[in-house]
Amino acid sequence: MQLTETSSRNKQQNFVSQTVLHHTMEERPVGEAVISNRRLEQDPVKWRLSPSVFMKWALKTSMWLIFVTWIAMFFLYPSKSMEGMFQKLFHATGRTFFGILGAVFLTFSAPILIIAFLAMIYLAAFPREYHEKKKPDFLRFRLRTFPVLINGPLGIVSAAELIGMFMFTAYIIWAFSAYTIQNHRSISKMTLPSKEKSYLMIERSGRRLGSIGLSCLGFLFLPIARGSILLRLIDVPMEHATKYHIWLGHVVMAIFTLHGLCYVVVWSLQGRLLHQIIRWKSNGFSYLPGVISLLTGLLMWVTSLPPVRKKYFELFYYTHQLYAIFIIFLALHVGDSIFSVAAGGIFLYLLDRFLRFCQSRKTVDIVSATILPCGTVELVLSKPRNLSYNALSFIFIRVRELSWLQWHPFSVSSSPLEGRRHLSILIKVLGEWTGKLRENITKASEQPQKDFPYQSHPRITTSVEGPYGHESEYYLTYENLILVAGGIGISPFLAILKDILYRLRENKPCVPKKVLVIWAVKKYEDLSLLSMLDAKSICPSFHDKLHLEIQTYVTQESEPVLEDGKLCESVGCSSFPMTNGSSMSSLVGTGNNIWSGVYFISSTIGFIICLGLMEAFYITPFHVTRWWFKGLLFIICMIASVFLFGGFVVILWHYWERKVLSREKYMNGDDKSRSTQYNEPKKQLVACQPNLASSSSTQYGYRPDFQEIFNSVSERWGKADIGVIVCGPRNLRSSVAAECRSRTMVGNQTIFHFNCHSFDL
């Protein structure tokens, strides 16, 4: 009986090892970020003798080697000449305790986890802090900031992204072509009728498509892990990575759809469609779970298409939560060994999702809320001192009085140097949710607690996720900056300007010397947002160090409704008492790197322990061989490791955070007296057109002419690298990107580096 079980297990391992295929990832600038070396200004001898520099170099080299080996395996696996080598690898590692599952996981999922582990060490040991560097003597052309495709269905695509897309597409074509040739050769040798050979060819092609789709699935979840250590390593913010998730989602679902259609066509021609669809096999692929997974994926795919997503956003959002069903039934369909192909990326997403869940449970106090003359709402939120962010960060916010499920992203409008215990956001009233928020704030301002001491004070209960954003402050690396905003898109640029002014005041490293702000608004009253920036109070002598020019365009008015310089009253300023001093949690986003590393290591080790215990005390003793059931057990181990092992670390992390906050309160005195400056209701007089810039102008009745503006900048600023950052509607981004592309392609002495800061869903 033991010999029979051993023989059966060997056959299963052979079948799985032949079925499991290579995986690939979208060629994003990971390698570029992993191997990118910063300019070292130390003496070469000192550099060679420095242990820290050697450790930094060793970590980068290790991550690079793992990444290159990983990608090479993806491309080599479809090759017939390499098939024998991979078979030997699977059989050699398949004799270990974890069997073929461990072999496949170690080959295809472990590398991404190892890179993530090394990235934890790298960012913890060498945090990215901005240091002013010597200006290079040559202009720098960057693939990441050169837009190539602009008005196509993919939006604005940089040269680096286009190269990655070409390599990713080439891999899929190469893999499918190689497998098609192999299938044709093997089937042509069979003595079967031509019709049966055609059926078999279609069925095997469908199997190969499913394997290629599974390989892509492992990378589908990496871009939407908002606080992912991998995104921080390559300095790609989540708002940019979201479009990679969208591209990968279309590719994955297209491949899986073709995979399912191949089987449907064959089964229909053979007259056994219904019988096969409802079939749930013990060993091998279970078709019914695959059908459920595919239908769930198709529902998410259809509701995510732009016409549906933009018109019925809540439908898109809620159906996208079905990803759990999609993943679980996929594991039931293919079993644990084949599912482990995509397990690495999914596991990293689960780690991030659990942290986000824990962070969002905490109630965050609103220090103050103000309604500006243009109707925009400013919220000032409490945060701990150890929570770091940069001026281009954004947060997700939920207001329980409005909805328990809706989360909305907003750019941070304050500088990290502005206040250690708070950050602010600007919210433009554009829809039902933002309209209700402004209405609640208005009611709160009309019923102050001192006038109604025996009534409950109106409150707004908020939860926050983030902050997220760039790991580095790249806007500080340009001596010349052009900030182009449309409407509320000025919010992150107010944070940038504040950050620059605070750095100038405190004599911190700050490269920007010339800043041009181009801002297009619909109404003149929208210009009151500039009142959020009081440059002279921040740095009275900023004119000596910074040439700031602001060009505003009022597109829907031919003349000013209010006279320039007329004071406008902030109509609705309300304060919310800090009853418990609850501030934002630092579990995700730019949280503590040490605790993040412990959380990751603990969960990963816990995952291995759970798999080992399951194998030793259940699968082997009870002779569990059903593929679908082992796939379910694999998913349970993933979830249990995150909740149990990772959850224990989160509890300790939260306890440590509370101790740090308590110590800070004790050292700084009573928190209530310290926060009085934010909690007292007040009304301010703000100028609608403050004198901020060295040269300011306001144009009425037309939009900015970027060709004329860029011509003027090129003539005045001469040969220079100019960073262009855009935040606004899609048409605005496309116009600026087209101008940057045209000027860089003609070989001008001035290079415009295009950067986009817009979050679209």
Side-chain angles (χ1 to χ4, degrees):
M1 183 175 180
Q2 292 180 351
L3 293 176
T4 303
E5 292 175 358
T6 304
S7 176
S8 175
R9 180 175 300 179
N10 291 335
K11 290 181 180 179
Q12 179 182 353
Q13 292 180 356
N14 292 336
F15 181 69
V16 174
S17 63
Q18 293 174 359
T19 306
V20 177
L21 293 180
H22 50 288
H23 321 329
T24 188
M25 68 179 291
E26 181 186 14
E27 188 69 20
R28 298 179 309 202
V30 178
E32 176 186 343
V34 171
I35 64 170
S36 61
N37 292 316
R38 295 184 177 180
R39 185 185 299 269
L40 296 174
E41 299 180 358
Q42 297 95 337
D43 182 82
V45 177
K46 294 181 179 179
W47 177 81
R48 288 196 296 267
L49 298 178
S50 174
S52 62
V53 174
F54 175 78
M55 180 181 177
K56 188 175 183 180
W57 175 85
L59 287 172
K60 284 185 176 182
T61 304
S62 300
M63 289 185 285
W64 167 249
L65 290 176
I66 295 172
F67 175 74
V68 170
T69 304
W70 195 26
I71 296 299
M73 291 178 63
F74 297 152
F75 277 88
L76 292 175
Y77 193 79
S79 175
K80 184 67 175 178
S81 59
M82 301 299 296
E83 182 178 353
M85 186 195 73
F86 281 95
Q87 290 296 328
K88 293 179 181 178
L89 175 64
F90 286 149
H91 283 293
T93 54
R95 299 190 185 99
T96 60
F97 178 75
F98 290 103
I100 191 64
L101 168 63
V104 177
F105 187 87
L106 184 64
T107 305
F108 296 115
S109 288
I112 194 67
L113 299 179
I114 296 174
I115 293 176
F117 171 72
L118 295 177
M120 291 279 186
I121 300 176
Y122 181 82
L123 292 180
F126 310 101
R128 290 183 176 175
E129 297 180 355
Y130 174 73
H131 300 284
E132 190 170 356
K133 300 179 181 180
K134 182 181 179 181
K135 180 181 177 182
D137 299 328
F138 54 90
L139 299 182
R140 298 168 294 179
F141 177 81
R142 297 174 180 173
L143 295 176
R144 297 178 65 175
T145 59
F146 177 64
V148 179
L149 304 179
I150 295 177
N151 294 317
L154 299 178
I156 300 175
V157 180
S158 68
E161 293 168 343
L162 187 62
I163 293 173
M165 292 169 59
F166 276 133
M167 295 189 66
F168 188 75
T169 304
Y171 166 76
I172 294 177
I173 296 175
W174 144 252
F176 185 73
S177 301
Y179 287 126
T180 301
I181 294 173
Q182 295 177 23
N183 292 336
H184 177 72
R185 289 176 178 175
S186 61
I187 294 175
S188 62
K189 298 178 181 179
M190 299 179 181
T191 56
L192 295 173
S194 58
K195 181 183 293 185
E196 293 298 326
K197 287 184 178 181
S198 300
Y199 293 162
L200 187 58
M201 184 66 183
I202 297 175
E203 188 172 345
R204 288 192 177 182
S205 298
R207 179 178 298 180
R208 296 304 188 184
L209 285 171
S211 301
I212 295 174
L214 188 65
S215 67
C216 301
L217 182 67
F219 304 95
L220 179 64
F221 290 88
L222 293 178
I224 54 171
R226 297 175 182 174
S228 171
I229 190 65
L230 298 177
L231 295 182
R232 295 176 59 190
L233 174 67
I234 62 178
D235 199 18
V236 174
M238 185 262 176
E239 69 268 23
H240 290 181
T242 300
K243 66 179 180 181
Y244 305 148
H245 171 75
I246 295 174
W247 297 347
L248 279 171
H250 291 315
V251 173
V252 167
M253 288 312 306
I255 294 176
F256 277 158
T257 301
L258 293 175
H259 160 73
L261 285 176
C262 288
Y263 284 93
V264 169
V265 169
V266 172
W267 293 339
S268 298
L269 294 176
Q270 294 176 342
R272 55 193 183 106
L273 177 62
L274 182 60
H275 175 265
Q276 289 293 96
I277 283 181
I278 63 175
R279 191 177 180 185
W280 197 309
K281 298 168 60 176
S282 296
N283 289 319
F285 299 108
S286 299
Y287 298 131
L288 181 58
V291 171
I292 296 174
S293 178
L294 180 59
L295 292 178
T296 305
L298 289 174
L299 179 60
M300 292 189 294
W301 190 23
V302 171
T303 55
S304 67
L305 296 176
V308 180
R309 185 181 70 245
K310 293 180 179 180
K311 191 173 182 179
Y312 306 101
F313 181 82
E314 291 192 8
L315 176 64
F316 151 75
Y317 179 80
Y318 296 136
T319 54
H320 240 60
Q321 308 309 311
L322 298 175
Y323 71 87
I325 297 178
F326 174 79
I327 292 299
I328 292 173
F329 279 90
L330 177 63
L332 299 179
H333 171 54
V334 300
D336 58 340
S337 298
I338 299 178
F339 181 78
S340 62
V341 166
I346 297 174
F347 183 69
L348 290 177
Y349 173 76
L350 289 178
L351 290 174
D352 177 79
R353 189 65 189 89
F354 181 68
L355 274 186
R356 287 164 46 197
F357 173 81
C358 295
Q359 187 191 36
S360 63
R361 297 306 94 192
K362 188 175 184 180
T363 301
V364 179
D365 287 325
I366 296 181
V367 179
S368 67
T370 307
I371 301 178
L372 299 174
C374 58
T376 300
V377 176
E378 183 201 24
L379 292 184
V380 180
L381 303 172
S382 175
K383 80 170 189 70
R385 296 183 61 180
N386 64 336
L387 179 63
S388 60
Y389 67 97
N390 63 47
L392 285 178
S393 299
F394 68 95
I395 62 174
F396 284 80
I397 186 172
R398 178 188 65 181
V399 179
R400 297 182 184 177
E401 285 78 8
L402 305 182
S403 174
W404 279 82
L405 299 177
Q406 293 187 31
W407 291 84
H408 296 261
F410 298 100
S411 296
V412 175
S413 61
S414 59
S415 164
L417 301 176
E418 186 176 356
R420 296 182 177 181
R421 298 186 178 275
H422 72 279
L423 61 80
S424 60
I425 59 175
L426 294 175
I427 302 175
K428 181 72 173 179
V429 179
L430 296 174
E432 181 180 355
W433 187 89
T434 53
K436 290 181 179 179
L437 176 63
R438 184 173 63 178
E439 181 180 347
N440 284 17
I441 294 175
T442 303
K443 291 180 179 179
S445 63
E446 292 174 351
Q447 300 178 10
Q449 190 175 14
K450 63 181 181 179
D451 295 337
F452 300 91
Y454 300 105
Q455 296 184 10
S456 61
H457 185 76
R459 293 188 58 81
I460 298 178
T461 309
T462 60
S463 300
V464 175
E465 284 187 12
Y468 307 104
H470 282 273
E471 183 72 11
S472 63
E473 300 161 321
Y474 74 91
Y475 55 89
L476 293 176
T477 63
Y478 297 105
E479 184 173 331
N480 308 280
L481 270 177
I482 298 179
L483 309 178
V484 184
I488 194 59
I490 194 65
S491 178
F493 297 155
L494 293 177
I496 288 180
L497 294 176
K498 291 178 183 178
D499 198 43
I500 293 175
L501 291 172
Y502 275 106
R503 286 180 174 274
L504 293 177
R505 187 184 72 176
E506 299 177 10
N507 293 321
K508 291 190 174 185
C510 184
V511 170
K513 298 297 185 294
K514 300 175 183 177
V515 179
L516 170 62
V517 180
I518 304 170
W519 185 25
V521 297
K522 293 181 179 180
K523 302 292 184 180
Y524 178 77
E525 61 184 11
D526 293 336
L527 298 181
S528 62
L529 291 178
L530 287 178
S531 64
M532 310 303 298
L533 177 64
D534 192 352
K536 289 187 176 181
S537 65
I538 297 176
C539 182
S541 60
F542 78 94
H543 288 292
D544 301 331
K545 305 176 183 178
L546 176 69
H547 178 79
L548 176 60
E549 182 180 354
I550 299 180
Q551 298 180 11
T552 55
Y553 296 82
V554 183
T555 60
Q556 295 185 2
E557 292 179 356
S558 57
E559 58 183 9
V561 178
L562 300 174
E563 297 180 0
D564 290 350
K566 183 175 180 180
L567 295 180
C568 307
E569 188 175 345
S570 293
V571 293
C573 178
S574 180
S575 295
F576 298 86
M578 298 178 66
T579 54
N580 56 359
S582 180
S583 59
M584 297 167 53
S585 173
S586 59
L587 291 181
V588 295
T590 53
N592 188 288
N593 289 325
I594 303 297
W595 279 108
S596 298
V598 175
Y599 169 73
F600 170 78
I601 295 173
S602 174
S603 300
T604 305
I605 295 177
F607 180 39
I608 298 174
I609 292 176
C610 288
L611 286 178
L613 293 176
M614 190 72 69
E615 181 74 27
F617 294 100
Y618 185 72
I619 294 178
T620 301
F622 292 93
H623 311 292
V624 177
T625 59
R626 289 171 292 181
W627 282 28
W628 69 267
F629 190 59
K630 293 177 71 174
L632 179 61
L633 295 178
F634 188 86
I635 291 289
I636 293 175
C637 288
M638 290 180 65
I639 298 175
S641 63
V642 174
F643 275 83
L644 298 179
F645 293 85
F648 177 72
V649 175
V650 170
I651 293 174
L652 296 179
W653 188 352
H654 180 67
Y655 178 76
W656 173 83
E657 190 179 65
R658 290 182 59 184
K659 295 288 289 184
V660 171
L661 292 176
S662 300
R663 191 181 305 114
E664 288 180 357
K665 291 179 182 179
Y666 176 78
M667 295 177 63
N668 291 276
D670 184 47
D671 188 63
K672 289 186 177 181
S673 61
R674 180 176 47 79
S675 60
T676 304
Q677 55 177 323
Y678 300 114
N679 293 336
E680 292 182 356
K682 60 187 176 218
K683 289 186 177 181
Q684 9 176 306
L685 293 178
V686 294
C688 290
Q689 188 78 1
N691 184 20
L692 293 174
S694 308
S695 176
S696 301
S697 62
T698 302
Q699 306 294 330
Y700 296 89
Y702 61 91
R703 303 178 184 276
D705 185 347
F706 292 109
Q707 183 177 2
E708 179 181 345
I709 293 173
F710 279 46
N711 278 334
S712 175
V713 169
S714 299
E715 294 175 359
R716 290 186 289 122
W717 294 359
K719 179 180 179 181
D721 283 299
I722 300 178
V724 181
I725 309 177
V726 186
C727 184
R730 182 171 183 175
N731 292 336
L732 179 68
R733 303 197 300 265
S734 299
S735 300
V736 177
E739 194 64 29
C740 292
R741 181 183 63 179
S742 63
R743 294 186 174 276
T744 303
M745 291 180 65
V746 298
N748 285 349
Q749 291 186 346
T750 303
I751 295 182
F752 294 89
H753 299 271
F754 178 81
N755 299 273
C756 181
H757 182 76
S758 294
F759 187 82
D760 290 334
L761 275 181

